[in-house]
Amino acid sequence: MRGAVLYGPRDVRIDERPDPTIIEPTDAVIRLSATCVCGSDLWPYRGLNAASDPAPMGHEYCGIVEEVGRGVTSIKRGQFVIGSFAASDNTCPHCLAGYQTSCAHREWVVGAQAPFLRVPMADGTLVATQELPSPHQVPSFLAVSDVLGTGWFAADAANVKPGATVVVVGDGAVGLLGVLSAKQMGAERIIAMSRHHARQTLAREFGATDIVSERGDEGVARVKELTKGVGADSVLECVGTQESMAQAIHATRPGGSISYVGVPHGVELAGAELFYTHVHLHGGPAPVRRYLPELIQLVQNGTINPGKVFDLELPLEQVAEGYRAMDERRAIKTLLRP
Ligand SMILES: [Zn+2]
């Protein structure tokens, strides 16, 4: 098959790769209905993670089960399934506690920017829809696989409650879906920090009540102004830089909660400063698997339409342009059709 491979900084290509097969009896092989480029794919694309050998790319997926191993019991051939970027058994103590991304048998899923994908621990990792989706639902189910699941975790981990005042730092796909998630959880006021017009518009569509385009201390001052000097109850940090983390901590009220779901790059926290801010911090790679059944249901019944974050759709063969458009912030998120 032909799939996306990263060869070095800003060099992603479609290349010949081996067809995935069942290796362990608990595996499934799925035929992807759609896949996409993640904000986190841009870190290695920009050369910010140590580049080593050519790396198959992609970890967001949904599609039809082609084949299952003899140890798979609940997932069946022909089902439409969605999984997370972390394969998990869904039975170990960490999974049972809702932290499937810390599963004792976790395997990171790679190589999903391709027509076919091997998924380990299929019974634990995958969730099937009740019926096959209509074509217009596919982008929303694909969003559930990572960006919505991560945005939902961001809102949940920041303890968003009905009536809450929420700040979302970061206007990438995860931040925008963090806005949608906070809205679903009943937030009354949602302040989106963004200085990009198209993203501000989508943030408002997803439920943002205010937009703050300033950054850093100025952004924090603006949030304080909007909250009568108090700060937000819940802050979703969806970037992963020192500046965004500082912005999140300073925009939170004493006793408030901050979630952080962007992979930190160069973030250092000062103990004494944290001590005196009285905030809760809860983050990490989102345990998307925990939320799959609920989010699939919300898409299935049309309550939410997270697929709107895909503002560029390309054939998989044009993956290089898909990365470029996101890198240059011409696209929020690229959907790829295998
Ligand atoms: Zn587990």
Side-chain angles (χ1 to χ4, degrees), residues 234-270:
S234 300
V235 179
L236 287 57
E237 199 286 286
C238 305
V239 183
T241 62
Q242 183 70 32
E243 185 191 35
S244 60
M245 189 57 122
Q247 210 167 286
I249 291 169
H250 297 146
T252 308
R253 66 184 294 162
S257 298
I258 299 159
S259 62
Y260 57 111
V261 296
V263 182
H265 282 74
V267 177
E268 285 183 21
L269 301 179

Side-chain angles (χ1 to χ4, degrees), residues 88-92 95 103-105:
S88 55
D89 56 21
N90 217 27
T91 55
C92 78
C95 284
C103 175
H105 300 105

Side-chain angles (χ1 to χ4, degrees), residues 119-131:
V119 180
M121 296 173 279
D123 284 329
T125 306
L126 298 171
V127 176
T129 55
Q130 279 164 9
E131 49 201 272

Side-chain angles (χ1 to χ4, degrees), residues 189-271:
R189 191 144 191 218
I190 304 173
I191 303 166
M193 305 195 77
S194 169
R195 38 185 189 190
H196 188 283
H197 181 71
R199 295 166 192 239
Q200 293 173 354
T201 305
L202 194 51
R204 285 201 184 273
E205 199 177 324
F206 282 155
T209 53
D210 302 85
I211 302 287
V212 167
S213 53
E214 293 87 349
R215 279 196 188 174
D217 291 344
E218 276 176 49
V220 171
R222 188 78 190 102
V223 169
K224 286 283 171 68
E225 215 176 287
L226 289 168
T227 55
K228 300 190 167 68
V230 175
D233 303 310
S234 300
V235 179
L236 287 57
E237 199 286 286
C238 305
V239 183
T241 62
Q242 183 70 32
E243 185 191 35
S244 60
M245 189 57 122
Q247 210 167 286
I249 291 169
H250 297 146
T252 308
R253 66 184 294 162
S257 298
I258 299 159
S259 62
Y260 57 111
V261 296
V263 182
H265 282 74
V267 177
E268 285 183 21
L269 301 179

